[in-house]
């Protein structure tokens, strides 16, 4: 079991498989990758995932860039070692064609980024076409990639007035076989994003006052509120969030990154066996809370 110097157990791996993307989101943090080298091959991804599994990682999330741009994305998923859960986070633009194949490859569940249902707002934020994403989400529901989580990054004067309409949309996705969850994400408080920054605590308080039940998740101590048939989860980076962070990252070019917000990383490219295990342990040792 991996445990860092702050007593935090590491159970989740977030692995970027490409930095290429077909959208241009105005707020994108690129999973903390500033400059990326050549992206890992399928074998390299599987090798590193296996080393993490041996060290007690239970859940893996595949990210990017846009992970569905990788032609071998289904092979990556089907070649993954046995994890308790394999999920992916996607912008959903290519999902309508791929959802069934992803499920068949062994994907358990999915997160889809959707910041607004209004086509003009969505286009302003991402440069893309909201209808494609909605089609992708419906395909994910049909493929039973459950729970389907809708990631909404809240931004001032862009979509901070649209949480209730997003809840209605999420409610419409729920069925006996598929659970849909709205994930309300606070935009990172970076200098470059200051004009979009909103503290989501106010929204959380409002949803909390309407909630019939609350669940506290192990991951980041995130709260999930149930309002009618909709579950709304809040993602707000803060001290509590860091103290309950059980995640470690791998960049698309094979570096182990202890924290999204920090520059440090350990280059694990080309390492195998014992050396790879040692590199992972070294990365865990330098892991420090950001907030
Ligand atoms: N393209 C994929 C997607 O859209 O899910 C994977 C990469 S994207 C960087 C992963 C997640 O990070 C998305 O849900 C996105 O909304 C979130 N994200 C990106 N930049 C962010 C920021 N500045 N603050 C908060 N969340 C952010």
């Amino acid at each position: 079991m991996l445990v860092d110097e702050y007593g935090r157990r590491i159970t989740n791996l977030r692995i970027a498989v490409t930095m290429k993307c077909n959208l241009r989101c105005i707020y994108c943090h690129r999973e903390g990758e500033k400059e990326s080298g050549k992206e890992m091959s399928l074998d390299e991804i599987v090798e590193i995932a296996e080393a993490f599994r041996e060290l007690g990682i239970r859940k893996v999330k595949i990210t990017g860039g846009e992970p569905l741009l990788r032609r071998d994305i289904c092979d990556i998923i089907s070649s993954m070692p046995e994890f308790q859960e394999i999920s992916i986070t996607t912008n959903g633009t290519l999902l309508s064609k791929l959802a069934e194949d992803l499920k068949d490859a062994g994907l358990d569940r999915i997160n889809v980024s959707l910041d607004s249902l209004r086509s003009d707002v969505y286009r302003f934020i991402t440069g893309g076409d909201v209808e494609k994403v909605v089609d992708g989400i419906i395909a994910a529901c049909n493929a039973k990639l459950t729970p389907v989580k809708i990631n909404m990054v809240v931004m001032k004067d862009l979509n901070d007035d649209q949480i209730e309409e997003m809840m209605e949309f999420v409610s419409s996705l729920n069925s006996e076989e598929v659970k849909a969850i709205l994930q309300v994400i606070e935009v990172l408080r970076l200098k470059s994003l200051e004009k979009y920054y909103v503290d989501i605590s106010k929204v959380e308080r409002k949803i909390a006052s309407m909630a019939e039940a609350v669940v506290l998740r192990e991951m980041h101590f995130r709260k999930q509120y149930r309002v009618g048939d909709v579950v709304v989860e809040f993602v707000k980076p803060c001290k509590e969030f860091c103290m309950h962070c059980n995640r470690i990252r791998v960049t698309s070019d094979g570096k182990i990154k202890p924290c999204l917000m920090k520059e440090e990383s350990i280059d694990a490219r080309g390492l195998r066996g014992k050396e790879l295990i040692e590199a992972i342990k070294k990365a865990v040792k330098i892991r420090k809370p950001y907030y």
Side-chain angles (χ1 to χ4, degrees), residues 127-189:
D129 185 357
V130 74
E131 280 81 24
K132 272 193 198 160
V133 183
V134 171
D135 287 350
I137 291 170
I138 291 165
C141 291
N142 291 338
K144 302 187 186 59
L145 287 165
T146 183
V148 173
K149 288 195 173 185
I150 306 301
N151 288 4
M152 177 187 193
V153 177
V154 179
M155 283 166 288
K156 194 154 123 197
D157 298 335
L158 283 179
N159 62 354
D160 52 347
D161 59 341
Q162 293 165 35
I163 290 160
E164 282 169 38
E165 64 190 59
M166 199 62 91
M167 284 170 69
E168 271 171 41
F169 171 67
V170 170
S171 162
S172 76
L173 301 171
N174 272 322
S175 68
E176 272 185 18
E177 290 172 309
V178 179
K179 193 165 101 184
I181 296 176
L182 175 62
Q183 218 166 222
V184 175
I185 304 173
E186 186 167 290
V187 70
L188 288 180
R189 194 158 199 181

Side-chain angles (χ1 to χ4, degrees), residues 14 21 27-31 63-67 89-91 113 115 151 153 185-188 193:
R14 190 167 172 110
C21 193
Y27 55 77
C28 187
H29 55 38
R30 293 175 46 92
E31 301 284 355
T63 183
E66 174 44 43
T89 177
T90 170
N91 63 32
S113 304
D115 302 320
N151 288 4
V153 177
I185 304 173
E186 186 167 290
V187 70
L188 288 180
L193 298 173

